[in-house]
Coordinates of all heavy atoms in Angstrom, one line a residue:
T941 N 30.6 28.8 -37.6 CA 31.6 29.7 -37.0 C 33.0 29.2 -37.4 O 33.9 30.1 -37.6 CB 31.5 29.5 -35.4 OG1 30.2 29.8 -35.0 CG2 32.4 30.5 -34.7
Y942 N 33.2 28.0 -37.6 CA 34.5 27.4 -38.1 C 34.8 28.0 -39.5 O 36.0 28.5 -39.7 CB 34.4 25.9 -38.1 CG 35.7 25.3 -38.7 CD1 36.8 25.2 -37.9 CD2 35.7 24.8 -40.0 CE1 38.0 24.6 -38.4 CE2 36.8 24.2 -40.5 CZ 38.0 24.1 -39.7 OH 39.1 23.5 -40.2
F943 N 33.8 28.1 -40.4 CA 34.1 28.6 -41.7 C 34.3 30.1 -41.6 O 35.1 30.7 -42.4 CB 32.9 28.3 -42.7 CG 32.8 26.9 -43.0 CD1 31.6 26.2 -43.0 CD2 34.0 26.2 -43.5 CE1 31.6 24.8 -43.3 CE2 33.9 24.8 -43.8 CZ 32.7 24.2 -43.8
L944 N 33.7 30.8 -40.7 CA 33.9 32.2 -40.5 C 35.4 32.4 -40.1 O 36.0 33.4 -40.5 CB 33.0 32.7 -39.4 CG 33.2 34.2 -38.9 CD1 32.9 35.1 -40.1 CD2 32.4 34.5 -37.7
F945 N 35.9 31.5 -39.3 CA 37.3 31.6 -38.8 C 38.4 31.2 -39.9 O 39.5 31.2 -39.6 CB 37.5 30.9 -37.5 CG 37.2 31.7 -36.3 CD1 35.9 32.1 -36.0 CD2 38.2 32.0 -35.4 CE1 35.7 32.9 -34.9 CE2 38.0 32.8 -34.3 CZ 36.7 33.2 -34.0
Q946 N 37.9 30.8 -41.0 CA 38.9 30.5 -42.1 C 39.6 31.7 -42.5 O 40.8 31.7 -43.0 CB 38.2 29.9 -43.3 CG 37.5 28.5 -43.0 CD 38.5 27.5 -42.5 OE1 39.5 27.2 -43.1 NE2 38.2 27.0 -41.3
T947 N 38.9 32.9 -42.3 CA 39.7 34.1 -42.5 C 40.2 34.5 -41.1 O 39.5 34.8 -40.2 CB 38.7 35.2 -42.9 OG1 38.0 34.8 -44.1 CG2 39.4 36.6 -43.1
T948 N 41.6 34.4 -41.0 CA 42.2 34.5 -39.7 C 42.0 35.8 -39.1 O 41.9 36.0 -37.8 CB 43.7 34.2 -39.8 OG1 44.3 35.1 -40.8 CG2 43.9 32.8 -40.2
S949 N 41.9 36.9 -39.9 CA 41.7 38.2 -39.3 C 40.3 38.7 -39.7 O 39.9 38.7 -40.8 CB 42.7 39.2 -39.9 OG 42.4 40.5 -39.5
L950 N 39.5 39.0 -38.6 CA 38.1 39.4 -38.8 C 38.0 40.9 -38.6 O 36.9 41.5 -38.6 CB 37.2 38.7 -37.8 CG 37.1 37.2 -37.9 CD1 36.2 36.6 -36.9 CD2 36.6 36.8 -39.3
E951 N 39.1 41.6 -38.4 CA 39.1 43.1 -38.3 C 40.0 43.7 -39.2 O 41.0 43.1 -39.7 CB 39.5 43.4 -36.8 CG 38.4 43.0 -35.8 CD 38.7 43.6 -34.4 OE1 39.1 44.8 -34.4 OE2 38.6 42.9 -33.4
D952 N 39.8 45.0 -39.5 CA 40.7 45.8 -40.4 C 42.1 45.9 -39.9 O 43.0 46.1 -40.7 CB 40.1 47.1 -40.7 CG 38.7 47.0 -41.4 OD1 38.5 46.0 -42.1 OD2 37.9 47.9 -41.3
N953 N 42.2 45.9 -38.6 CA 43.5 46.2 -38.0 C 44.4 44.9 -38.0 O 45.5 45.0 -37.5 CB 43.4 46.8 -36.6 CG 42.6 45.8 -35.7 OD1 42.4 44.7 -36.0 ND2 42.3 46.4 -34.5
G954 N 43.9 43.8 -38.5 CA 44.7 42.6 -38.6 C 44.7 41.7 -37.3 O 45.5 40.7 -37.3
K955 N 44.0 42.1 -36.3 CA 44.0 41.3 -35.1 C 43.3 39.9 -35.3 O 42.4 39.8 -36.1 CB 43.2 42.0 -34.0 CG 43.9 43.2 -33.3 CD 43.1 43.7 -32.2 CE 43.9 44.9 -31.5 NZ 43.2 45.4 -30.3
I956 N 43.9 38.9 -34.7 CA 43.4 37.6 -34.9 C 42.6 37.1 -33.6 O 43.1 37.3 -32.5 CB 44.6 36.6 -35.1 CG1 45.4 37.0 -36.4 CG2 44.1 35.2 -35.2 CD1 46.6 36.2 -36.6
Y957 N 41.5 36.6 -33.9 CA 40.6 36.1 -32.7 C 41.1 34.7 -32.3 O 41.6 33.9 -33.1 CB 39.2 36.0 -33.2 CG 38.5 37.3 -33.3 CD1 37.2 37.4 -33.9 CD2 39.1 38.5 -32.8 CE1 36.6 38.6 -34.0 CE2 38.4 39.7 -32.8 CZ 37.2 39.8 -33.4 OH 36.5 41.0 -33.5
G958 N 40.9 34.4 -31.0 CA 41.4 33.2 -30.4 C 40.2 32.2 -30.1 O 39.1 32.4 -30.6
N959 N 40.6 31.2 -29.4 CA 39.6 30.1 -29.2 C 38.4 30.6 -28.3 O 37.3 30.1 -28.4 CB 40.2 28.9 -28.5 CG 40.8 29.2 -27.2 OD1 41.4 30.2 -27.0 ND2 40.6 28.3 -26.2
W960 N 38.6 31.5 -27.4 CA 37.5 32.0 -26.5 C 36.5 32.9 -27.3 O 35.3 32.9 -27.0 CB 38.1 32.7 -25.3 CG 38.9 31.8 -24.4 CD1 40.2 31.9 -24.1 CD2 38.4 30.7 -23.7 NE1 40.6 30.9 -23.3 CE2 39.5 30.1 -23.0 CE3 37.1 30.1 -23.6 CZ2 39.4 29.0 -22.3 CZ3 37.0 28.9 -22.8 CH2 38.1 28.4 -22.2
T961 N 37.0 33.6 -28.3 CA 36.1 34.3 -29.2 C 35.3 33.3 -30.0 O 34.1 33.5 -30.2 CB 36.9 35.2 -30.1 OG1 37.7 36.1 -29.3 CG2 36.0 36.0 -31.0
F962 N 36.0 32.3 -30.5 CA 35.3 31.2 -31.3 C 34.2 30.6 -30.4 O 33.0 30.5 -30.9 CB 36.3 30.1 -31.6 CG 35.7 29.0 -32.4 CD1 35.7 29.1 -33.8 CD2 35.2 27.9 -31.8 CE1 35.2 28.1 -34.6 CE2 34.6 26.9 -32.6 CZ 34.7 26.9 -34.0
G963 N 34.5 30.3 -29.2 CA 33.4 29.7 -28.3 C 32.3 30.7 -28.0 O 31.1 30.3 -27.9
S964 N 32.7 32.0 -27.8 CA 31.6 33.0 -27.5 C 30.7 33.2 -28.7 O 29.5 33.4 -28.5 CB 32.3 34.3 -27.1 OG 33.1 34.2 -26.0
I965 N 31.2 33.1 -29.9 CA 30.3 33.3 -31.1 C 29.4 32.1 -31.1 O 28.1 32.2 -31.3 CB 31.1 33.4 -32.4 CG1 32.0 34.7 -32.4 CG2 30.2 33.3 -33.6 CD1 32.9 34.8 -33.6

Side-chain angles (χ1 to χ4, degrees):
T941 309
Y942 176 76
F943 289 132
L944 174 67
F945 270 66
Q946 296 304 302
T947 303
T948 55
S949 175
L950 298 178
E951 292 190 42
D952 296 336
N953 57 12
K955 285 186 178 180
I956 298 175
Y957 285 168
N959 63 316
W960 295 115
T961 303
F962 182 89
S964 297
I965 295 175

